[in-house]
Amino acid sequence: MDPVHSPSSIDKTRVMDVKPLRSLKPIFPYPNQGLILVQAPPSGPFPSGYTPFYPFVSPPPPPQPPVAPTPLRTPESSGVINGDVKPPVDASGGSERRKRGRPPKSSQKTNVVEKRSWRSEASIPINHNFVVPVSLAQQEDGNREVVDLIMTGYDGLRRRLCQLDDTGAISRGLAKRADLKASNMMMTTGFRTNIKRRIGAIPGVEVGDIFFFRIELCVLGIHAPSMAGIDYMNLRGESEEDFVALSIVSSGYYDDDDEDENVLIYSGQGGGPTVMDKQASDQKLVRGNLALQRSVHRGNEVRVVRGIKDGINLNTKVYMYDGLYTVQDSWMQKGKSDTNIFKYKLVRVPGQPSVYGIWKSVEKWKEGVSSPAGLVLPDLTSGTEGIPVTLVNDVDNEKGPSYFTYFPSLRYFEPYMQSSHTCKCQNSCNPGDPNCSCNQTNKGDFPYTGNSILVSRKPMLYECGPSCQCYPGCKNRVSQTGLKLRLEVFKTKDRGWGLRSWDHIRAGTFICEYAGEVIDKASLKQKLQEGGGNEYIFDTSRVLEPFRWNELGLLLKGISDDPSQDEVYNIPSPLVISAKSFGNVARFMNHCCYPNVFWQPVMYEDNNQSYLHIAFFAMRHIPPLTELTYDYGVVSNDDDINNNFRKRKCFCGSSQCRGFFGL
DNA sequence: GTGGCTTCAACCTC
DNA sequence: CGAGGTTGAAGCCA
């Protein structure tokens, strides 16, 4: 089933090239809404007279299409919106190249316009009913929730574009540079924040936040240039220049000295090793170099982003926001090719949390050069997992959690349900293979990207299982291949033991499954009545606050006919797991009302029987040593078990805290 | 408002 | 796997 090519789906959403969004204004459900400038968190409360945007409150009335759409669908016309010349839309979904529909050359003003409207050679399906949930005020100045929403939305959209490309749902290669496609759609629809250029901290961005693409810094207003290393402004009144440096990115392209966690020797731009400047020349005191020079005397705060080689995926880079620095000194020195290079000494403003320092410490722990403070056990799994799980307590004298047997998977005493679809793929299942039955059960959308990142939540995720004929290395076996991250069980200050990771974690990364013994409701009731047995229980019948992880999946035409159901779990019968006596690291993950991890039901088959598993994935990018938490949910009222046993006061401390959670 | 220019990307190929 | 080529996009500036 291919939603892009299905004629019946076309009247719901229109198909258009992604590029024309460039000309669209931000989309608001009510005509004057975007003009009201208010400062309010996305969940409210809102000032009177201001109607917040869906999805933070109840949905608006059915929104009107934001632009007159009909010309876009006419194959013969060139499709004109807002005066801009657009390529016509390929209603067949983009499989056909747009040669015949190319606008006449005379209508092109310049070569650049020609190039732009012509560049994308196929179509990405856009849902025009999507309402951008970021107010104009929030586009100007962010806060933590807006930043999280945009970050999560950005990466979800990017993953979905990768998935469409992998599965062949859109023309091959259309989603290359999915990072830029996603950012382009967000920048043009107003799904961005901190547009206002500013000196110093960015509202909603915290020291230690991590990113995986330079363009993310742009979408969040941390660092405006898409490539350049120095962001600066000219504060001039009339004609005289008054430069000030705003932020810099140090990612190893030039010969910076980044050994010290509080001092960074940064190189100026130009002249040297860039591809564009083939012949080396002296750097000039212009643009970013001039701005940094001026900031030496001005003494203003400059944001610093450190680009670090990703130790997990060696061909990617992690960008870490390292907080505020001041430029204390500058000089000129000879570079490798004997040309003049500017150098700037940036010193970290005191009182900010150590993050780059932590990063470097963790690397030493992993190399075995040093150990974390309060190390109790180097591996609490005693080799059961393929990778050690460290036990650390630098809070008090407790020597470890109460006794349990480390068990890495789920212990079923009877099959979860009958089933009989297994794949017959050779080697590995292919995202674009319509004959793979595991692909079919996932409705044609391969659940993971090429580097094993979950694309979106699903009512049920089907992985290949022991009965499938593909190899164990098949890309559709992510949650069953054990721990990949370097995890640590540690003593928290006020919530017992917790779980965190030495490695940074990218959004959508599999963390662990909930291991333990599958029990029935009667056993659970008995355990509760015995008292004290209500810890280390995972119960799918606890009620979760609905949330959208892949918010911007809605911007693209949905996987199902009703995208609002995409992320609602469909669990045939409740699953209760006890990790009291047998369990893995998941039993240590604490509850939080504003969590960074979620669970996803995963089913796979063995010998004509299906087994349900609970897999945990990162909701956001998670910096090293950040506690991993998920929402335990609350016990439903119709549960026949005494609710009081199953309610516990919450200490998560987040602004969204409900005050209690379920057990 | 526009197009040229610059630029510590990201990806792909060889 | 590294070098090098290709495609890119934001924002300053003329």
Side-chain angles (χ1 to χ4, degrees):
Chain A
M1 187 183 68
D2 183 354
V4 178
H5 292 78
S6 158
S8 65
S9 60
I10 291 207
D11 35 2
K12 283 192 186 172
T13 56
R14 286 168 300 281
V15 176
M16 62 180 279
D17 190 285
V18 60
K19 284 297 173 186
L21 272 178
R22 184 180 290 282
S23 65
L24 298 185
K25 295 281 183 288
I27 299 161
F28 299 100
Y30 309 107
N32 59 349
Q33 193 162 45
L35 302 174
I36 304 170
L37 299 178
V38 292
Q39 188 64 55
S43 51
F46 297 87
S48 61
Y50 175 80
T51 312
F53 297 103
Y54 179 75
F56 301 121
V57 291
S58 57
Q64 299 299 311
V67 291
T70 25
L72 282 175
R73 300 274 312 284
T74 313
E76 297 79 17
S77 84
S78 58
V80 175
I81 313 178
N82 295 349
D84 280 6
V85 178
K86 302 296 165 204
V89 166
D90 184 351
S92 70
S95 56
E96 188 190 325
R97 301 287 158 145
R98 191 181 293 110
K99 289 231 162 88
R100 280 177 299 124
R102 183 177 183 177
K105 196 147 185 138
S106 59
S107 73
Q108 299 293 337
K109 280 180 248 170
T110 69
N111 287 337
V112 175
V113 171
E114 156 105 353
K115 195 177 163 194
R116 277 191 181 166
S117 56
W118 181 226
R119 197 153 45 196
S120 300
E121 301 203 344
S123 300
I124 291 176
I126 306 277
N127 178 3
H128 284 259
N129 291 333
F130 180 78
V131 176
V132 174
V134 185
S135 72
L136 277 194
Q138 290 165 345
Q139 291 175 30
E140 285 280 305
D141 300 286
N143 59 50
R144 189 59 183 172
E145 286 166 54
V146 169
V147 165
D148 277 341
L149 175 80
I150 290 171
M151 279 303 302
T152 317
Y154 170 82
D155 208 58
L157 177 58
R158 189 193 58 77
R159 291 190 309 269
R160 179 83 175 114
L161 288 168
C162 289
Q163 182 189 50
L164 287 170
D165 194 38
D166 286 346
T167 57
I170 54 179
S171 287
R172 188 79 207 167
L174 178 61
K176 80 177 175 186
R177 295 306 305 266
D179 59 321
L180 296 183
K181 286 283 191 311
S183 69
N184 178 274
M185 292 167 81
M186 295 180 72
M187 301 286 273
T188 49
T189 52
F191 207 125
R192 57 184 298 193
T193 189
N194 295 311
I195 291 174
K196 195 200 293 172
R197 314 291 301 283
R198 72 198 78 206
I199 298 169
I202 298 293
V205 176
E206 290 172 8
V207 174
D209 281 352
I210 56 172
F211 312 94
F212 289 81
F213 294 92
R214 266 292 297 269
I215 206 77
E216 292 179 78
L217 305 173
C218 202
V219 174
L220 295 177
I222 300 168
H223 186 84
S226 55
M227 289 177 65
I230 307 167
D231 192 9
Y232 66 99
M233 260 171 88
N234 193 345
L235 303 171
R236 69 167 178 272
E238 285 296 308
S239 57
E240 76 277 23
E241 56 87 1
D242 184 12
F243 278 30
V244 56
L246 302 179
S247 58
I248 56 118
V249 177
S250 170
S251 57
Y253 198 75
Y254 289 81
D255 200 14
D256 300 339
D257 182 350
D258 58 0
E259 284 309 301
D260 193 306
E261 85 173 276
N262 292 310
V263 179
L264 173 66
I265 308 298
Y266 190 76
S267 307
Q269 61 191 188
T274 65
V275 180
M276 304 83 192
D277 282 330
K278 280 257 166 72
Q279 67 281 33
S281 59
D282 290 342
Q283 290 188 344
K284 298 187 187 70
L285 196 59
V286 291
R287 290 184 285 275
N289 297 346
L290 183 56
L292 278 170
Q293 183 62 45
R294 293 285 187 267
S295 285
V296 176
H297 305 290
R298 187 185 286 269
N300 64 287
E301 293 166 331
V302 177
R303 299 183 291 275
V304 168
V305 175
R306 304 218 190 210
I308 309 163
K309 234 188 188 122
D310 185 338
I312 302 167
N313 293 309
L314 286 169
N315 46 358
T316 63
K317 225 180 260 182
V318 187
Y319 297 96
M320 188 190 63
Y321 175 58
D322 193 28
L324 303 174
Y325 285 63
T326 53
V327 197
Q328 302 257 320
D329 198 6
S330 69
W331 64 92
M332 183 185 270
Q333 67 185 53
K334 288 286 180 192
K336 277 173 187 154
S337 39
D338 206 38
T339 56
N340 287 327
I341 307 282
F342 289 107
K343 292 283 178 179
Y344 300 93
K345 182 185 181 190
L346 290 105
V347 178
R348 199 159 189 253
V349 174
Q352 302 177 91
S354 166
V355 286
Y356 189 57
I358 282 182
W359 199 287
K360 296 203 140 203
S361 302
V362 167
E363 272 175 7
K364 286 185 185 133
W365 302 345
K366 285 199 260 190
E367 288 163 14
V369 180
S370 63
S371 306
L375 178 69
V376 180
L377 272 177
D379 181 17
L380 72 81
T381 81
S382 310
T384 308
E385 302 279 6
I387 186 168
V389 176
T390 315
L391 180 66
V392 161
N393 182 356
D394 62 352
V395 173
D396 55 33
N397 293 324
E398 194 178 344
K399 281 296 168 200
S402 54
Y403 179 79
F404 75 105
T405 301
Y406 196 94
F407 190 71
S409 56
L410 205 48
R411 183 180 278 186
Y412 266 98
F413 294 101
E414 53 192 66
Y416 181 73
M417 62 185 281
Q418 299 283 327
S419 167
S420 64
H421 42 69
T422 55
C423 79
K424 296 179 171 54
C425 298
Q426 304 289 317
N427 304 335
S428 179
C429 294
N430 185 344
D433 183 0
N435 297 321
C436 168
S437 72
C438 296
N439 246 340
Q440 288 165 7
T441 36
N442 283 311
K443 297 191 174 172
D445 284 297
F446 203 77
Y448 303 105
T449 62
N451 49 0
S452 300
I453 302 278
L454 182 70
V455 175
S456 52
R457 294 167 73 214
K458 303 162 95 67
M460 179 63 70
L461 194 163
Y462 298 92
E463 288 197 356
C464 296
S467 300
C468 290
Q469 290 181 16
C470 55
Y471 287 174
C474 167
K475 290 285 187 188
N476 195 24
R477 300 169 188 261
V478 168
S479 75
Q480 50 187 292
T481 49
L483 301 187
K484 297 284 186 295
L485 297 165
R486 194 69 170 79
L487 298 175
E488 173 188 289
V489 173
F490 74 108
K491 188 73 189 283
T492 65
K493 292 211 165 53
D494 54 2
R495 294 187 291 152
W497 297 89
L499 185 67
R500 62 189 181 188
S501 168
W502 288 8
D503 296 317
H504 60 274
I505 307 175
R506 193 166 173 169
T509 303
F510 168 72
I511 295 171
C512 61
E513 86 163 292
Y514 199 101
E517 300 174 283
V518 175
I519 59 173
D520 55 27
K521 282 269 179 183
S523 313
L524 175 60
K525 192 170 183 176
Q526 192 188 340
K527 274 179 190 288
L528 293 175
Q529 281 167 349
E530 286 164 3
N534 56 355
E535 287 177 313
Y536 306 116
I537 296 288
F538 185 93
D539 183 352
T540 58
S541 62
R542 288 177 195 151
V543 180
L544 287 174
E545 299 260 330
F547 76 99
R548 283 203 73 83
W549 182 49
N550 204 333
E551 176 67 36
L552 281 183
L554 293 178
L555 177 54
L556 297 179
K557 224 159 82 70
I559 299 165
S560 64
D561 288 340
D562 184 2
S564 68
Q565 296 299 305
D566 283 354
E567 302 195 20
V568 177
Y569 293 150
N570 175 22
I571 296 169
S573 65
L575 180 71
V576 183
I577 306 167
S578 169
K580 176 80 176 163
S581 313
F582 297 86
N584 70 348
V585 288
R587 74 199 289 280
F588 295 106
M589 225 186 313
N590 285 314
H591 163 86
C592 183
C593 298
Y594 193 68
N596 51 19
V597 172
F598 63 85
W599 60 271
Q600 161 74 49
V602 177
M603 192 101 81
Y604 42 91
E605 179 165 309
D606 190 11
N607 205 15
N608 287 336
Q609 308 290 347
S610 274
Y611 295 90
L612 181 64
H613 296 258
I614 302 302
F616 290 94
F617 293 90
M619 193 182 289
R620 292 185 283 275
H621 305 326
I622 306 171
L625 296 196
T626 304
E627 181 170 8
L628 307 178
T629 55
Y630 71 101
D631 188 347
Y632 283 16
V634 294
V635 176
S636 62
N637 286 332
D638 58 352
D639 203 306
D640 59 349
I641 295 161
N642 186 340
N643 284 345
N644 291 329
F645 274 119
R646 308 193 63 189
K647 228 177 194 183
R648 179 158 289 195
K649 190 168 166 30
C650 183
F651 293 98
C652 79
S654 82
S655 57
Q656 278 81 2
C657 185
R658 296 190 297 264
F660 64 91
F661 59 88
L663 283 170

